[in-house]
Amino acid sequence: MIIGGSSSQKLAASIAKKMDDVLCPLESKKFPDGERYIRIKGDIEENVVVVQSTGYPQDENLIELFLILKTIRKMGIKKIRTVIPYFGYGRQEKSFNHGEAVSAEVVSQLIQESGASEIYSINLHEESICNLFNIPAYNLSAMPAIASFIGENVEDPVILAPDKGALGFAHEISNILNCESDYLEKIRLSPNKVETKPKNLDVDGRDVVIIDDIISTGGTIVNACKILKEHGASRIVVSCVHPVLVEDALLKIFTAGADEVVSTDTLKSEVSTVSVASVVAEALKKGS
Ligand code: R5P
């Protein structure tokens, strides 16, 4: 039985379909004062899968997740596999400055204490978030799904990471598609002059696919698009796993020269065309 929280209803339905499982009806609403109410409206069976991304509005989606988990647990269900396609607060997995809250740790503990028995997430910002849980936690990769989209839509692409940190994603895709990959490298030419360009490949006249885990403000991708245009890229397809897309991020990216933007459906957006449903369903099938 699959329960889809407010933030992941469509994805939950796709996962249920792939698993040949049923969706459990859930009533979720906000009281006039802003507090949330949830009611599980079906007969719950052992072996429940809850699907809820904890992106914007993060706090509301988290509270809803806690309420769902706790309610199922109170109904006597012990195996509650919890799919959190986009893991909010994942960027603060340690204390960078004295006195900072380790938000990812706090959130992980609360999810666990609410009743989750296993966690499945997609491309966590830091793999180490899995270690914050005392229950099995799996960090799945959306790269095979994104690679499949690229393979069907872009001929002879160069897969490009906007920085060295994202190079692993570019490699994962280029290994699947058997094509070239590279990353944008910053070179300091003088104390006040920095040049950023593709490290090894010439992108002149090539179709380039940029891949990153998250697009938030779009700043990283805007910079990459501008550099690729300067270096003569013919077509620029921007791809990411999690379309956080703050404010007018998409507009900025298109203005910078992107021809297409595509993301997965870990978060709802107008570019969420690649589904992670198969990736999640396969992992759940293996684990059951
Ligand atoms: C950084 O570590 C991430 O991989 C992304 O590059 C970053 O979150 C993108 O943020 P923005 O869209 O605000 O540049």
Side-chain angles (χ1 to χ4, degrees), residues 91 125 163 212-221:
R91 280 186 273 193
H125 192 58
D163 51 41
D212 207 350
D213 57 346
I214 298 172
I215 300 178
S216 182
T217 64
T220 306
I221 299 294

Side-chain angles (χ1 to χ4, degrees), residues 11-232:
L11 178 57
S14 307
I15 294 170
K17 207 164 194 175
K18 301 260 175 217
M19 295 187 70
D20 209 12
D21 205 340
V22 288
L23 270 177
C24 174
L26 171 80
E27 184 181 351
S28 178
K29 64 183 182 191
K30 236 200 266 188
F31 286 111
D33 63 358
E35 290 180 5
R36 189 154 284 275
Y37 165 98
I38 73 107
R39 183 175 168 214
I40 311 275
K41 293 181 83 179
D43 289 326
I44 292 287
E45 305 153 2
E46 194 52 65
N47 198 358
V48 173
V49 174
V50 175
V51 187
Q52 170 84 322
S53 267
T54 53
Y56 182 82
Q58 292 85 345
D59 300 353
E60 281 189 26
N61 286 329
L62 274 169
I63 288 288
E64 190 188 80
L65 178 60
F66 301 150
L67 295 179
I68 294 171
L69 292 173
K70 205 74 184 171
T71 308
I72 302 170
R73 185 52 84 120
K74 273 190 97 174
M75 289 170 157
I77 308 298
K78 292 197 176 61
K79 187 170 179 183
I80 310 174
R81 294 187 293 169
T82 306
V83 180
I84 307 174
Y86 174 76
F87 192 93
Y89 287 104
R91 280 186 273 193
Q92 189 79 28
E93 89 292 355
K94 58 184 174 198
S95 205
F96 298 93
N97 295 299
H98 175 73
E100 278 178 355
V102 184
S103 321
E105 185 179 40
V106 174
V107 162
S108 309
Q109 282 168 2
L110 288 169
I111 293 168
Q112 190 171 323
E113 277 162 24
S114 299
S117 61
E118 277 177 28
I119 303 293
Y120 295 76
S121 192
I122 310 276
N123 293 105
L124 284 161
H125 192 58
E126 289 295 335
E127 176 104 34
S128 60
I129 291 174
C130 288
N131 305 328
L132 299 174
F133 290 94
N134 296 321
I135 50 177
Y138 305 99
N139 183 27
L140 311 175
S141 174
M143 296 310 145
I146 295 175
S148 158
F149 172 89
I150 297 168
E152 284 163 18
N153 291 281
V154 191
E155 234 177 89
D156 189 26
V158 172
I159 314 297
L160 188 112
D163 51 41
K164 205 170 180 185
L167 186 57
F169 305 131
H171 278 157
E172 216 179 315
I173 293 175
S174 65
N175 285 341
I176 295 170
L177 296 177
N178 197 19
C179 63
E180 293 177 295
S181 56
D182 202 358
Y183 73 97
L184 291 182
E185 186 187 45
K186 256 188 202 164
I187 307 160
R188 185 159 293 282
L189 302 174
S190 69
N192 50 10
K193 200 165 178 215
V194 173
E195 189 191 12
T196 308
K197 61 184 184 80
K199 168 123 175 105
N200 299 306
L201 298 177
D202 183 1
V203 295
D204 192 16
R206 302 284 307 268
D207 287 356
V208 182
V209 178
I210 304 174
I211 176 71
D212 207 350
D213 57 346
I214 298 172
I215 300 178
S216 182
T217 64
T220 306
I221 299 294
V222 163
N223 187 41
C225 287
K226 285 182 181 162
I227 291 161
L228 289 172
K229 278 274 152 206
E230 281 164 20
H231 283 80

Side-chain angles (χ1 to χ4, degrees), residues 245-265:
L245 300 177
V246 175
E247 293 169 357
D248 59 349
L250 261 188
L251 185 63
K252 286 190 213 151
I253 291 169
F254 282 116
T255 308
D259 294 285
E260 192 174 348
V261 181
V262 63
S263 79
T264 78
D265 55 356

